[in-house]
Every structure is written in C-alpha cells, then in structure tokens.
Amino acid sequence: MQTFSELKKNLKKDFSQLKKIKVAVLGDTATQFLMQALRGAGYEKGFDLQIWEADFNQIERQVFDQGSELYEFKPEIIIIFQSAHKLLGKYNKLKPEAYSSLADTRMEQIGSITATLNEQLKAKIIYYNYTEINDSVFGNYASRLESSFLFQLRKLNYELMVFASGQTNFYICDISSIQNQSGKVNFFQSSVYINTEMVLSLAILPEVAGKTVDLIGAMSGVFKKCLIVDLDNTMWGGIIGDDGLENIQIGSLGIGKAFTEFQYWIKKLKNRGIIIAVCSKNTESIAREPFEKHPDMVLHMDDIAVFIANWDNKADNIRQIQKILNIGFDSMVFLDDNPFERNMVRENVPGVTVPELPEDPAEYLEYLYTLNLFETISFSNEDAERTKQYQVEAKRAVQQKSFTNEDDFLKSLNMVSLVEPFNKFNTPRVAQLSQRSNQFNLRTVRYTEADIESIGEAKDVYSFSFTLEDKFGDNGMICVIILRKEDDKTLFIDTWFMSCRVLKRGMENFVLNTIANFAKEKGFTFLKGEYIATPKNEMVKNHYFQLGFEPAGNFWLLNADSYINKKCFIKTK
C-alpha cells in the first residue's frame, strides 16, 4: 500500500491517456486530502478521476437544491461521507427520549438523498458506512440498550446494508472494516480532528481511497475473475511428491489448520463465481491425489476449472490457462509461496496480480483480506455455475479435436438459443454482463439494473438477450443487444456485448440474423453500428467489417432489406 505522500506525487503525472470518470465528493467533514488520495489512487488503477468537491458540510444543500454546483457538474459517481463523529455530535444534542430514533432518522435522510439523486442524476452513489465509536457511557450494557449511541450506530450500519440490498445505484464502501483491520489509533487522530475537522488520518487515507477506487473500478468493468493457485506449501503444507499423501499438512492440527482455512476461502470465492485454476510444478497424477483421496481436503477436482501440473515454467503455464479461459491477464491473481516463481510470473506475464505472500502460512489469509482482490458490484446465481461452465468448455475443446471439419463439430453440439427482451427476470444478469464484458464489447457502455429497467420500458428502444445451450450444458445468458431508433429508416446498435466463452460457435452470425430480420420486419432499412476502441476490446475492431457492414464515416451500415441470413448452426429455442 502506498503512502499518502506517494499518492500525492501521482497528481503531477500525465493523466491524459487514462479513462476519465467524473466524481463528486460530498462530506460533513473535511475532504480535501481524501480528494487528493482518491485522484492519486485512481491513477494507479488507470483512471483520471475528475473530482469536484463540495464545500464542507453541504451535503443536503447540494442534493436538494437542483440549481446547485453538484447538478451543474453532472457527476457519474457521487461519494457521500457522513461521519460517525458528526453523528455523535447530533446524538449528543438530542433529548434522551429521541436517542432511540437516531438510526431511523438518519436512514430516512439517506433514503431521501438517494431518491432525489436517482431522480435528478444517473449517477452511482458510493456511501461510506460508519466507523465504531463507543462513548463508554454504559460500558458493555450499551450493546443491549437501544438508546445508547453504540446500539444506534451498529443498528445504522445494519439498516444501511439492508437499504443497499434493495437499491440498484447505491453501493457501500466499508470503511468500518478498514478501521477494524488497522485499529482506531491508526484510523483516527483526535488532535487532527479537533484542529482540522479531518476524521481520516493521513496514514489511513490510501486504504480508504484504495477501497473506494476498487469499487469505481468494478463499476467500470475492472475486476478479477480468476485465482490461480500453486499447490505445495501454498494449498497444503509439504511437497506431495516427496512427503506422500499421508504426510502433507492439512486438517485441524498445527499449521495444517492454516491451509485448511485458506482452502475454505478459495472455496467461497469459487462459490461466488471466481474461476479457480491450479498451476503447479508437479507430476499431474501425483498433484491430483490430494483432491481425489485426502479426507481433509476442502477443495476437490470439481472446484477447479483448469488444472495444470507439469514441469514447465509457470509463466508459460499461466499463458496456457489464459488461452483456455479466454480472459485478460489483468483479470488474474496468482498465489505462490515461492518468491522465485512469483518474480518469474511478474516479469514474464505483465498484468497478472501477484501478491507477496507472507513466509508464514498462518498469515496468508489476514494478508489477503487487506488486499480486497475480488471487489464486485453484483452477484447472481449464474456466478455460482461459472466453474462448471468452464469445465464444460474444456470438454467441448476435447471433442472439437476429434473433428476435422468445423461445421461438423458445430452441428454436433445441437446448439439452441432463447432470445428475449429485457424483463424482470433477466435484468440483473444483463446489468452484470454489461459490467463484466470488456473484450467483446463494441461500445463498452456500462449499465445498472435501473438503467436496464428504463431501457426495457423506453419507446423506440428494442432489447434482446441471448442464451446458449448445447449438449454439454447451459451457458446461460451470453449476449445482449440494444437497438435505438435513429430515424424512420435506421436502427442504431447502441450496445452489442457478448461473453468470450462462446466465441467460434457462430453466435455472431445468429445474433446478426436475428436483429437484421427484426429490422426488416419493423420496416427499417439499415442497421448502424459503431466501434469505440478501449484498451481491452481490440479483438472486435473489425467486427462489423467481417459481418458485411459498409463503412460510413465513423460508423458502419448494413442494408437489412437485402440481407441474406448467414450460415449458423444455432436454433431458436
């Protein structure tokens, strides 16, 4: 973690090539140093955070006055910091009979602020939760007394989580957990607060800024999708090839407990949709034994999407994993106990995140917790099926090798697709796929669930979601199209993004056949496409050209009237 001084140095660097994001910061305490830390941390993540900072303690005025500087600025993201210290000040001034309503009153205010911002701006809200303050008026009894400040504070954080779970544009930045990890003495300095109204110490600002920028990154489609793990002395204690199955350290005794808890953490990541891969210098049959035979193993072979164990160098093996998964290296995290292997991967596979694991395995988890490697802004049932989907994809790859003719292979898959407009059932997945799709994304527009709901109800906007299923299994929703009426003759392809898992199956042709025939049925003559380049979507640079669109300035046109369906082996479900 960089220091505040190091983050400030980033402010003098060149931001011109970075992704620009307009961010407003509203706080009831001093936020000028937080603003600098956010901008410096943004640079580290590849963002030019163009920050407007409201005057001190002007949250309500900025939000409820539609002529305020906030609305003039038109931010994409609004950070709101209402501190526990200011909340304590409000509590102190209440009459005793009003103590028990503190949390409810604050939640009403938060609800009103959120509703107003949602109505007036299409901005995402990042709200800092409340750090712990125990005023020690009741000692331990405060935890069972509703009118105590500690009770109200903890109730407020709980109600805040409940509120966020029902909102589509409201995200909590959990600074309370930062205080828990770092200690209050590092998080808050009384003398600084009294003299400057700053409740965040300079030492803690990089962590708060880092966690905030992690959220902003996830909103922009930047997050980790895959965890690659070494085996010997990383997944378990000892060397399986030398010590044998019965002598590796795992289970509930001694240092084995550390490895068991580490595996539980990996299992939870797998269950939430992170792809788990193994990269080990080992004989494969021996490396598989613990997963298949050891009674204390938490992880098993069906938890692993890609398993590579051989004596090749790990940089080459990680490239092979990337090729199988078809995701970016910057979406990967590699964990290995060996400093030599870590450095080799860092130097030879740029983009992969390689944490510097502690020497003591007992410290692995506490260290990894602080890194917040797997930030996300969404979760769906399909996430939990992701490992199975990649395992099924490996089976498809094996079968494909038995065919000499690609058409014969595609026919053998018996592929079907369900095509539907946006609805209440697929809205969460559409929004999530828009956040996750980077490589096959023609214009890289991100959507929240609220955005998708609005699009589904909009006049002269036509939405399509596509699933793909074959004899090996169901890939779920894998493609989204949004068409907007530009004029009486033209439909503009506002959005076209697709999961890279289904490339080379003919899905592009199936989608184009679907929307071209739709345009013709609705009386439109042209489909108009646009490619907006990003650092990650170069693979679709020639997408419209390859599909037969004609260049038209910065756009591409296809005549739907004369369009002839392209060859495709996918049937409509």
Side-chain angles (χ1 to χ4, degrees):
M1 180 67 67
Q2 290 183 299
T3 65
F4 178 67
S5 295
E6 289 170 332
L7 289 181
K8 279 188 68 175
K9 290 178 182 178
N10 286 344
L11 304 185
K12 298 179 180 180
K13 296 179 180 178
D14 182 11
F15 284 73
S16 61
Q17 301 302 311
L18 304 184
K19 177 180 174 63
K20 293 175 172 54
I21 302 175
K22 295 179 72 175
V23 178
V25 176
L26 310 178
D28 61 8
T29 58
T31 56
Q32 56 265 45
F33 288 146
L34 172 62
M35 180 180 68
Q36 294 175 3
L38 287 168
R39 188 157 165 76
Y43 179 88
E44 293 293 320
K45 296 283 188 177
F47 299 124
D48 177 6
L49 301 184
Q50 301 181 327
I51 301 177
W52 170 80
E53 179 192 16
D55 289 340
F56 167 74
N57 206 17
Q58 293 289 305
I59 297 174
E60 290 85 354
R61 190 191 76 78
Q62 291 293 337
V63 171
F64 297 118
D65 176 5
Q66 295 181 25
S68 70
E69 299 92 331
L70 173 67
Y71 293 106
E72 184 179 347
F73 180 65
K74 296 179 181 177
E76 299 165 70
I77 295 171
I78 302 170
I79 297 171
I80 300 177
F81 182 18
Q82 293 185 295
S83 68
H85 290 81
K86 290 296 182 182
L87 188 68
L88 177 59
K90 291 183 181 296
Y91 176 88
N92 291 339
K93 295 176 184 178
L94 292 174
K95 293 180 179 180
E97 57 267 25
Y99 288 163
S100 298
S101 63
L102 180 72
D104 292 338
T105 301
R106 175 52 58 93
M107 284 308 307
E108 288 176 8
Q109 182 197 42
I110 293 170
S112 181
I113 287 172
T114 302
T116 302
L117 291 175
N118 285 341
E119 184 179 338
Q120 301 298 326
L121 291 169
K122 283 190 174 181
K124 300 177 181 68
I125 301 169
I126 295 177
Y127 193 94
Y128 289 178
N129 66 359
Y130 292 84
T131 54
E132 288 250 318
I133 300 176
N134 186 351
D135 58 9
S136 296
V137 173
F138 289 97
N140 289 306
Y141 193 72
S143 295
R144 57 183 294 183
L145 186 64
E146 187 174 9
S147 63
S148 74
F149 181 71
L150 186 65
F151 191 108
Q152 288 296 306
L153 191 63
R154 289 175 175 171
K155 178 183 178 181
L156 178 55
N157 271 341
Y158 170 75
E159 294 294 345
L160 195 58
M161 291 189 290
V162 173
F163 176 77
S165 68
Q167 300 289 319
T168 55
N169 277 352
F170 186 94
Y171 305 91
I172 296 172
C173 183
D174 187 12
I175 65 170
S176 180
S177 68
I178 297 177
Q179 184 196 59
N180 291 339
Q181 289 168 346
S182 64
K184 188 173 181 181
V185 67
N186 296 314
F187 192 95
F188 172 78
Q189 294 176 341
S190 301
S191 60
V192 174
Y193 172 63
I194 294 299
N195 291 304
T196 68
E197 288 286 333
M198 277 181 54
V199 299
L200 301 174
S201 71
L202 292 179
I204 211 66
L205 280 173
E207 291 192 51
V208 174
K211 198 152 192 167
T212 308
V213 173
D214 285 342
L215 257 178
I216 293 172
M219 293 171 183
S220 303
V222 178
F223 43 77
K224 306 303 180 188
K225 301 177 182 178
C226 174
L227 175 63
I228 305 172
V229 192
D230 173 46
L231 295 181
D232 293 331
N233 291 312
T234 304
M235 188 78 78
W236 52 68
I239 300 172
I240 185 64
D242 293 338
D243 300 328
L245 182 66
E246 66 279 2
N247 292 317
I248 60 172
Q249 295 169 305
I250 191 170
S252 59
L253 298 176
I255 197 63
K257 184 177 181 180
F259 293 105
T260 296
E261 292 183 351
F262 178 62
Q263 286 193 32
Y264 274 117
W265 181 70
I266 296 173
K267 182 90 168 185
K268 289 186 292 184
L269 287 173
K270 175 257 180 182
N271 289 341
R272 71 143 263 207
I274 299 299
I275 307 160
I276 308 300
V278 163
C279 179
S280 173
K281 281 189 175 177
N282 252 310
T283 300
E284 182 171 344
S285 60
I286 295 174
R288 285 175 174 264
E289 280 189 349
F291 294 90
E292 298 169 340
K293 300 177 181 179
H294 200 294
D296 291 326
M297 280 290 288
V298 175
L299 294 169
H300 303 285
M301 288 305 301
D302 59 1
D303 295 312
I304 311 300
V306 182
F307 193 102
I308 294 184
N310 56 36
W311 298 100
D312 297 339
N313 77 73
K314 291 188 178 181
D316 287 343
N317 282 338
I318 288 175
R319 292 189 189 98
Q320 179 65 18
I321 292 171
Q322 186 272 337
K323 186 176 180 181
I324 293 170
L325 298 177
N326 199 18
I327 61 176
F329 287 117
D330 60 352
S331 298
M332 296 177 163
V333 176
F334 174 59
L335 299 181
D336 195 309
D337 70 293
N338 190 319
F340 174 81
E341 301 289 1
R342 294 197 297 260
N343 288 329
M344 172 175 281
V345 171
R346 285 193 193 103
E347 292 175 5
N348 292 282
V349 196
V352 177
T353 297
V354 187
E356 195 68 12
L357 283 178
E359 290 186 15
D360 185 353
E363 301 295 329
Y364 284 179
L365 281 182
E366 288 301 321
Y367 167 70
L368 291 168
Y369 291 162
T370 66
L371 299 184
N372 194 35
L373 292 166
F374 298 99
E375 184 64 72
T376 187
I377 59 167
S378 61
F379 177 74
S380 71
N381 291 333
E382 289 194 26
D383 289 330
E385 297 296 316
R386 189 161 289 119
T387 292
K388 181 188 257 186
Q389 290 170 350
Y390 279 103
Q391 288 170 334
V392 169
E393 183 57 36
K395 292 179 182 177
R396 291 189 189 97
V398 170
Q399 176 156 332
Q400 185 172 9
K401 292 178 181 177
S402 66
F403 286 84
T404 56
N405 182 284
E406 184 176 359
D407 286 357
D408 290 340
F409 166 67
L410 293 176
K411 288 178 187 176
S412 76
L413 292 177
N414 300 326
M415 294 180 287
V416 293
S417 177
L418 176 64
V419 184
E420 292 183 303
F422 298 166
N423 56 53
K424 64 180 181 180
F425 300 106
N426 62 29
T427 287
R429 176 58 178 159
V430 173
Q432 184 189 56
L433 194 58
S434 83
Q435 299 293 337
R436 298 182 67 91
S437 300
N438 291 307
Q439 296 180 86
F440 197 119
N441 199 330
L442 275 299
R443 299 181 72 242
T444 317
V445 180
R446 311 293 183 188
Y447 298 103
T448 64
E449 290 185 32
D451 295 331
I452 297 302
E453 289 171 0
S454 297
I455 290 169
E457 298 170 356
K459 184 181 179 182
D460 295 333
V461 179
Y462 308 97
S463 61
F464 302 80
S465 66
F466 298 80
T467 67
L468 186 63
E469 185 178 352
D470 64 20
K471 67 180 183 181
F472 288 105
D474 189 353
N475 290 279
M477 185 188 298
I478 47 80
C479 182
V480 170
I481 294 283
I482 299 171
L483 303 177
R484 294 185 184 273
K485 179 180 176 181
E486 188 167 283
D487 53 45
D488 290 341
K489 290 186 176 182
T490 306
L491 281 176
F492 176 59
I493 305 174
D494 175 273
T495 295
W496 186 336
F497 55 76
M498 193 167 81
S499 170
C500 291
R501 286 187 286 112
V502 297
L503 291 177
K504 300 182 180 178
R505 310 251 196 99
M507 196 67 200
E508 302 97 314
N509 288 353
F510 179 79
V511 171
L512 183 57
N513 292 346
T514 301
I515 63 175
N517 291 327
F518 174 85
K520 192 183 303 185
E521 290 169 6
K522 291 291 185 180
F524 293 97
T525 303
F526 298 104
L527 283 173
K528 181 179 179 181
E530 181 184 28
Y531 166 70
I532 300 177
T534 72
K536 292 187 176 184
N537 73 351
E538 189 174 359
M539 68 175 291
V540 291
K541 180 179 181 179
N542 297 316
H543 175 71
Y544 287 120
F545 172 76
Q546 291 167 349
L547 289 179
F549 284 65
E550 298 289 336
N554 293 324
F555 299 92
W556 297 85
L557 286 180
L558 180 80
N559 190 315
D561 286 341
S562 59
Y563 179 76
I564 300 173
N565 280 353
K566 294 184 177 296
K567 181 173 67 174
C568 181
F569 300 102
I570 302 172
K571 296 179 180 179
T572 302
K573 189 173 182 178

